[in-house]
Amino acid sequence: MKLIRLYGRALAELGPERSLGVLLAIANVALAAAQFAEPVLFGRIIDTLTGAQTASAKPGWSSVLPPFALWVGFGAFNIGVGALVALNADRLSHRRRLAVTAEFFEHVLTLPLLFHMEKHSGRALKVMSDGALSLGGIWLTFFREHCAAFVALFVMLPLTAALNWRLGLVLILLVSIFALLMTLVLRHTESMQQSVERYRGDLAERVSDALGNVAVIQSFTRVETEARDLRIIIDRLMAVQNPILSWWALAAIGTRASATLTILSILGVGTYLFMQGLTTVGEIVTFVNLASLLVSRLEQVVSFINYIFLEAPRLAEFFEVLDTVPSLRDAPNAVAIGRADGAVTFEGVSFSYDGKLAAVVDLTIEVRPGETIALVGATGSGKSTTLALLHRSFDPQTGRILLDGRDIRDITLISLRRNIGVVFQEPMLFARSIRENLLAGKPDATEEELEAAIRRAQAADFIARQPEGLDTIIGERGRSLSGGERQRLSIARALLKDPPILILDEATSALDAATEERLQQALDEVMIGRTTFVIAHRLSTIRHATRVLVFDHGRVVETGSFDELLRKGGIFAKLAQAQFPREKSFEARR
């Protein structure tokens, strides 16, 4: 039943192509009926000829031509309609496979960061690729073969009893026995196939992880180790896969044997019934042909069961992701806002990633438009989580966050994020051109706006050195650039967006001292008139912040201006002393 539900779900994913799918299904029913008619007509012709022979009479064309003409007509119908079905099934399958790939891709991009933190990108790519290919294969084989096979077995097979109920029962009995054997094979191998897919997922994850860290593997001479570990996973995969292959090999042998057994049974029973005067030679010929036809259809159904069985875990994982409802989505009453003023308020905000360990606890902050707020604290103290909550990478479990007095959950995600520019600690660049990476901040930016953002981010010099300037492809995650160059591009991207709220998460951490000083001056200018949140471990970069919030275990334990916190002699002062041990205070740096 699980396989049937999964198969039904796959067919339901036809979406806008369902009307064509219905037409193809109807055509398959017609094809099955036409194929069923051919053996019947053939038997009638045989009975006509043998009847004339028994009566020592010469048969006339008037008695043979009508069934013969019908037979030719059904044959031509099968060829013509079969060609149209195959052509349209191919096109339908390819169109929907590509469409569902795009739909899956778009859906995954809308899922919250927590989903992506838990699922490896290599596994997610495998789920998308394998799932789309499996769906395409199901749609193609259903409309080319399986639909007609099901009609033949479940509709035409019972109708054979109307021709001769004795021979019909023989056919039905043999097919039922074989179906029971196939069910036993399925039940025996189902759990093993799930293990196979787990190992396949591990294989894709391991390969993706290694290819994404080639520099580390080569530097630490781990090529042989990684290759050995991959072979171990492959060996485990094959250890689970081989028994399944053996069972299905037996099923394939049984399918072939059933063809011979069925025809022999029909001939044996038919001969006996003929001797008893309960059938005719034509009916025996009809049932022998029907047996051949139904066995071939049975083989197609077995092929289908084998295919859907092997693909079931992939499809289940594909649908599981597709059915994942984004926890972050627009509320029914959400409104789109224009350019915000930039007033931000956290009211009793708490958040935990796993529901056990709190990342942020009872956070209450009020920020006026244009203020620069620095967030300081040890790694894991809740700084990045706080700002992730602001641009709704996650939603707090308790409390609320307001933008210009409105709960951000009542603002559409698109309009909220258009008002926030983020420079991440990890630059996160695409394997595309420099221009495309920058335009992610503002797709309709003019050349003048591009150049201005590049200058302000201190990126003009290194871009000018690139072989194709702004059109230079920078490789996966920008690996052809240095860390500082990547970070400057990330800053230019945020500046081009020109948002009223700016988040700088260690924005200058990968820059040399001279570039950092120049860029910090540019950022100080950019911050004017914007609400800015700065996460910094280098305390020298937040000297002019309006306020400094000191985090410890998800709580704000100190707050005040830079100089006020130094005078308090608390956690902040100790951090400052640790960074500048030779100086009694920052007063000497003023």
Side-chain angles (χ1 to χ4, degrees):
M1 290 302 297
K2 181 180 177 182
L3 289 179
I4 293 174
R5 285 196 299 269
L6 200 61
Y7 197 61
R9 172 68 189 276
L11 294 178
E13 288 296 324
L14 286 171
E17 302 276 6
R18 286 180 183 174
S19 56
L20 177 57
V22 170
L23 289 175
L24 290 174
I26 293 172
N28 271 274
V29 173
L31 283 173
Q35 290 174 346
F36 184 81
E38 289 185 30
V40 175
L41 292 170
F42 185 39
R44 296 286 172 81
I45 293 172
I46 294 297
D47 275 342
T48 299
L49 296 176
T50 55
Q53 185 179 33
T54 302
S56 300
K58 186 177 181 181
W61 278 108
S62 59
S63 59
V64 176
L65 193 57
F68 185 78
L70 282 174
W71 189 10
V72 171
F74 280 121
F77 177 83
N78 280 333
I79 294 171
V81 175
L84 288 174
V85 166
L87 178 62
N88 283 283
D90 279 10
R91 292 178 177 177
L92 169 64
S93 171
H94 283 82
R95 280 198 306 269
R96 282 306 298 160
R97 177 175 61 82
L98 295 175
V100 82
T101 299
E103 291 166 7
F104 184 93
F105 175 72
E106 183 178 3
H107 174 73
V108 169
L109 291 182
T110 67
L111 295 178
L113 288 181
L114 199 57
F115 171 87
H116 295 280
M117 290 167 62
E118 295 173 349
K119 186 174 285 290
H120 193 281
S121 59
R123 189 179 291 270
L125 180 62
K126 173 189 173 296
V127 170
M128 181 179 74
S129 176
D130 287 355
L133 285 172
S134 297
L135 285 172
I138 285 174
W139 293 325
L140 180 62
T141 55
F142 179 80
F143 292 116
R144 290 184 69 172
E145 298 173 356
H146 297 154
C147 183
F150 285 131
V151 172
L153 285 179
F154 298 109
V155 178
M156 302 304 174
L157 178 60
L159 290 179
T160 58
L163 299 176
N164 186 305
W165 66 270
R166 297 174 180 84
L167 291 175
L169 284 178
V170 172
L171 270 180
I172 294 171
L173 179 62
L174 290 171
V175 170
S176 299
I177 292 173
F178 187 76
L180 178 62
L181 293 174
M182 289 305 306
T183 302
L184 294 175
V185 172
L186 276 175
R187 288 184 178 277
H188 191 80
T189 55
E190 184 174 4
S191 60
M192 288 188 288
Q193 185 60 33
Q194 292 174 350
S195 298
V196 167
E197 287 309 309
R198 282 198 299 272
Y199 284 122
R200 282 173 55 85
D202 293 343
L203 192 66
E205 188 172 313
R206 172 71 68 161
V207 170
S208 175
D209 201 36
L211 293 177
N213 294 280
V214 169
V216 176
I217 290 172
Q218 293 179 347
S219 175
F220 287 86
T221 61
R222 286 188 54 85
V223 173
E224 291 184 3
T225 303
E226 291 293 326
R228 184 184 66 247
D229 291 346
L230 189 69
R231 283 193 288 269
I232 290 173
I233 296 176
I234 291 173
D235 290 342
R236 291 172 180 170
L237 171 61
M238 291 307 301
V240 180
Q241 182 79 76
N242 283 332
I244 298 175
L245 297 176
S246 298
W247 275 98
W248 282 104
L250 288 173
I253 293 170
T255 304
R256 296 189 185 96
S258 67
T260 303
L261 290 174
T262 302
I263 291 174
L264 286 175
S265 298
I266 292 295
L267 280 173
V269 174
T271 301
Y272 172 78
L273 293 175
F274 179 77
M275 292 176 179
Q276 302 299 316
L278 298 174
T279 189
T280 64
V281 173
E283 285 184 344
I284 295 174
V285 171
T286 294
F287 271 87
V288 167
N289 281 281
L290 284 174
S292 299
L293 174 63
L294 291 173
V295 167
S296 68
R297 291 305 191 187
L298 193 59
E299 290 176 346
Q300 289 174 352
V301 170
V302 171
S303 174
F304 147 70
I305 294 173
N306 188 13
Y307 179 80
I308 193 69
F309 175 75
L310 293 175
E311 300 300 318
R314 303 174 196 174
L315 287 173
E317 195 171 11
F318 182 87
F319 290 137
E320 181 184 357
V321 175
L322 204 60
D323 292 340
T324 301
V325 179
S327 57
L328 295 171
R329 55 186 184 276
D330 291 337
N333 60 337
V335 297
I337 61 172
R339 187 176 180 86
D341 294 329
V344 175
T345 305
F346 287 75
E347 294 182 348
V349 171
S350 296
F351 174 77
S352 171
Y353 288 100
D354 58 7
K356 299 176 183 177
L357 183 63
V360 172
V361 182
D362 196 25
L363 186 64
T364 299
I365 310 170
E366 187 171 345
V367 182
R368 293 186 296 274
E371 285 192 316
T372 298
I373 306 300
L375 287 72
V376 175
T379 301
S381 60
K383 306 182 301 296
S384 295
T385 300
T386 298
L387 299 185
L389 291 168
L390 175 57
H391 60 86
R392 286 198 75 192
S393 292
F394 318 101
D395 275 339
Q397 275 95 28
T398 60
R400 61 177 186 162
I401 304 170
L402 308 178
L403 174 60
D404 294 344
R406 187 192 297 272
D407 192 323
I408 61 173
R409 286 170 292 196
D410 295 330
I411 300 172
T412 61
L413 275 169
I414 290 178
S415 63
L416 171 67
R417 290 172 178 171
R418 280 177 180 164
N419 278 283
I420 302 174
V422 185
V423 179
F424 299 97
Q425 185 173 5
E426 171 63 39
M428 298 183 185
L429 300 176
F430 299 106
R432 303 169 192 173
S433 69
I434 293 174
R435 184 188 303 277
E436 287 178 284
N437 273 282
L438 294 178
L439 289 177
K442 187 178 181 181
D444 58 349
T446 64
E447 287 296 318
E448 291 75 16
E449 290 172 325
L450 267 176
E451 292 173 5
I454 289 168
R455 284 196 307 272
R456 295 168 83 179
Q458 305 293 314
D461 290 343
F462 86 80
I463 291 177
R465 293 195 299 269
Q466 300 303 311
E468 296 180 47
L470 283 171
D471 296 317
T472 300
I473 305 297
I474 58 175
E476 185 180 4
R477 298 179 184 176
R479 285 180 178 172
S480 65
L481 305 177
S482 69
E485 289 169 344
R486 291 197 296 270
Q487 206 154 25
R488 278 179 274 174
L489 279 187
S490 180
I491 293 170
R493 179 173 60 191
L495 296 180
L496 186 63
K497 188 176 182 180
D498 189 28
I501 300 173
L502 188 62
I503 294 175
L504 305 175
D505 188 352
E506 285 291 311
T508 60
S509 61
L511 304 179
D512 59 82
T515 302
E516 180 185 14
E517 184 175 354
R518 293 197 306 270
L519 185 58
Q520 192 61 51
Q521 293 173 359
L523 288 175
D524 289 341
E525 179 187 339
V526 171
M527 291 176 192
I528 297 173
R530 300 178 199 275
T531 303
T532 307
F533 295 88
V534 182
I535 295 177
H537 289 102
R538 295 183 190 178
L539 301 185
S540 60
T541 63
I542 58 169
R543 183 67 183 78
H544 302 293
T546 309
R547 264 182 297 159
V548 178
L549 307 180
V550 182
F551 280 74
D552 185 40
H553 293 92
R555 299 178 183 272
V556 175
V557 294
E558 293 180 7
T559 181
S561 70
F562 193 96
D563 293 334
E564 288 172 350
L565 293 179
L566 282 177
R567 288 193 293 270
K568 284 182 179 180
I571 294 176
F572 183 80
K574 291 178 182 178
L575 289 173
Q577 186 61 33
Q579 287 194 19
F580 302 94
R582 296 182 182 179
E583 302 180 24
K584 293 183 179 179
S585 74
F586 269 74
E587 297 298 320
R589 301 178 60 82
R590 299 177 72 177

